[in-house]
Amino acid sequence: MYIHIPWCVRKCPYCDFNSHEAREEIPEAAYIDALLADLETELPGVWGRSVSSIFIGGGTPSLLSPEALDRLLSGVRARLPLLPGLEVTMEANPGTFEAVKFGEFHAAGVNRLSIGVQSFNDQHLQALGRIHSRSAALRAADFAREAGFDSFNLDLMHGLPGQTLSQAMADLDTALALEPNHISWYQLTLEPNTWFYRHPPVLPVDDDLWAIQESGHVKLANAGFTQYEVSAFARHPDARSVHNQNYWQFGDYLGIGAGAHGKITDVAGARILRTGKRRSPKAYLDPSLTFESSRQEVAAEDLPLEFMLNGLRLIEGVPTRSFQERTGLGWQQIAEAWRAAVADGLMLDDPERLQATGQGQLFLNDLVARFMPEALAAANRNRIRIREV
């Protein structure tokens, strides 16, 4: 289950998520009421199923009071069966950390934090529009441990405006010294509909970006972190994000909250549905409107691309059998495209596993594009021509 909290203290210039500056007091009680009512509208589609993970994202969910969070999670437990020991992650901004408050979050049921540090360099934090400082970021990890969180992720960006290789490595060194069991480390990209996209900052040149990425991967590996996804590194297998792995394995998830998305397989109807909720918090809270803004079936011809777009992000890939299990399609739908990718050295020659090679990971966008509807159609037409000849 994904639960979206749309408010933040200040909108970051690189952020393209559905977040809104909280210029006045957040309507906590009304929003929790709406979230639980939203969940109830989703229940008929998931009867008999259990929740394996909960991710509370934003925005800045750590702006919520512990009382509001406790009511939210209690309401979820009352409406759906939760698997024992399930992962409950909350995103947190270091600028909102309070030791007592986070201890109460832990007592309410949150057992994993994802701390949005982005950088430990004050100059870069200012350029990114973050509300916290280096010292606040360092305190955040200490507060997380004091609050009882044995599992926490540090979110770090690289390729920042004016960032050098030594500065990027210094960020990683600082993060490693804080001993998280998970690090998300990814390159800053200029997304449409952001301030940075309209007013692009000067970013490091490609050669420098490549040097940063290569050096960072070596440093993380030497520190005992294994890369299991494009931007995810875990100290041991149990530290891998259960929630995110479900996305990458093309699993189902409920999405509640302003702007949240969901994906549910309707087994009886043999179809996969994608849902979207109203993005505006005001509209989401309007009792005269439905929570849902969109609901559509994923077309069969789009399923191979959607599956591979997620599964190939995992360094270990996904079992081939899961393609049929998760899409309802036969292997022949992608067989020719897979063979061509293997021949070009982009995927492993293992019929039991769909996995990109190291070269394939470097050109992941090009590899995934081979599974677009038009590309698959061309591959299958070529197969037919070969057989006719």
Side-chain angles (χ1 to χ4, degrees):
M1 177 184 295
Y2 176 78
I3 303 173
H4 192 72
I5 310 299
W7 293 284
C8 55
V9 175
R10 184 168 65 201
K11 182 80 170 180
C12 296
Y14 59 84
C15 177
D16 68 337
F17 294 117
N18 184 38
S19 59
H20 306 262
E21 291 188 8
R23 294 187 173 88
E24 51 192 44
E25 188 175 354
I26 294 173
E28 270 192 348
Y31 194 69
I32 301 301
D33 288 342
L35 285 172
L36 296 177
D38 186 0
L39 175 56
E40 289 182 355
T41 68
E42 296 280 3
L43 294 181
V46 294
W47 287 128
R49 303 179 69 175
S50 300
V51 178
S52 59
S53 70
I54 297 174
F55 193 101
I56 307 169
T60 306
S62 50
L63 289 175
L64 289 178
S65 68
E67 294 77 19
L69 179 71
D70 183 57
R71 189 162 76 88
L72 169 61
L73 293 178
S74 296
V76 171
R77 293 187 195 99
R79 290 164 174 81
L80 276 174
L82 309 184
L83 291 182
L86 86 165
E87 176 188 276
V88 182
T89 301
M90 170 185 272
E91 288 185 334
N93 186 318
T96 65
F97 258 78
E98 302 168 29
V100 173
K101 182 179 182 181
F102 279 82
E104 292 174 339
F105 284 158
H106 188 268
V110 176
N111 53 27
R112 183 175 183 270
L113 289 179
S114 182
I115 305 173
V117 171
Q118 313 312 352
S119 176
F120 292 97
N121 182 305
D122 283 328
Q123 176 185 347
H124 293 145
L125 287 170
Q126 185 175 7
L128 292 173
R130 304 296 288 173
I131 64 170
H132 67 273
S133 62
R134 171 186 170 85
S135 59
L138 295 173
R139 287 197 305 271
D142 292 334
F143 285 163
R145 286 197 194 84
E146 291 173 12
F149 289 99
D150 298 322
S151 180
F152 67 92
N153 167 65
L154 292 180
D155 217 40
L156 278 177
M157 287 185 186
H158 60 85
L160 308 180
Q163 187 180 51
T164 64
L165 171 61
S166 62
Q167 289 172 330
M169 294 305 99
D171 269 352
L172 272 181
D173 284 333
T174 303
L176 292 168
L178 295 173
E179 299 185 337
N181 61 1
H182 193 284
I183 291 177
S184 297
W185 192 65
Y186 53 95
Q187 184 178 319
L188 170 66
T189 56
L190 305 186
E191 302 288 354
N193 303 315
T194 65
W195 175 265
F196 271 2
Y197 190 81
R198 295 189 297 272
H199 308 277
V202 178
L203 302 180
V205 297
D206 287 345
D207 285 349
D208 290 342
L209 291 173
W210 178 251
I212 289 172
Q213 180 170 306
E214 286 282 278
S215 300
H217 284 185
V218 170
K219 183 178 289 291
L220 285 161
N222 289 341
F225 280 79
T226 299
Q227 183 185 16
Y228 68 99
E229 189 268 343
V230 170
S231 59
F233 301 79
R235 193 178 289 277
H236 51 79
D238 289 344
R240 297 180 180 187
S241 169
V242 173
H243 190 87
N244 286 339
Q245 285 184 103
N246 177 66
Y247 289 149
W248 299 322
Q249 293 165 357
F250 206 53
D252 283 357
Y253 55 96
L254 287 176
I256 61 173
H261 292 271
K263 169 191 169 285
I264 296 295
T265 302
D266 175 6
V267 178
R271 56 183 186 158
I272 294 176
L273 301 173
R274 287 205 178 275
T275 61
K277 303 302 170 67
R278 296 188 184 277
R279 290 177 57 83
S280 163
K282 182 178 180 180
Y284 184 80
L285 289 169
D286 188 337
S288 69
L289 300 174
T290 60
F291 297 113
E292 199 170 84
S293 61
S294 65
R295 175 177 288 260
Q296 64 182 50
E297 180 179 352
V298 181
E301 60 266 26
D302 292 329
L303 286 171
L305 173 63
E306 291 219 16
F307 182 89
M308 301 301 274
L309 186 66
N310 289 281
L312 291 180
R313 288 181 63 93
L314 290 167
I315 303 303
E316 297 172 357
V318 291
T320 302
R321 67 177 183 278
S322 67
F323 175 74
Q324 183 168 354
E325 293 170 354
R326 295 291 167 94
T327 67
L329 301 175
W331 164 247
Q332 70 278 5
Q333 296 284 333
I334 61 171
E336 291 302 316
W338 172 77
R339 291 188 185 100
V342 169
D344 292 339
L346 299 178
M347 292 186 70
L348 291 188
D349 188 5
D350 181 355
E352 301 300 317
R353 178 160 291 275
L354 299 170
Q355 181 179 355
T357 61
Q359 185 77 356
Q361 287 290 338
L362 293 177
F363 299 96
L364 197 56
N365 288 341
D366 293 334
L367 172 56
V368 168
R370 293 170 178 244
F371 298 91
M372 295 177 67
E374 56 271 27
L376 288 177
N380 288 325
R381 283 195 299 271
N382 185 57
R383 176 192 63 191
I384 293 170
R385 285 197 297 270
I386 290 172
R387 289 180 177 174
E388 286 176 345
V389 171

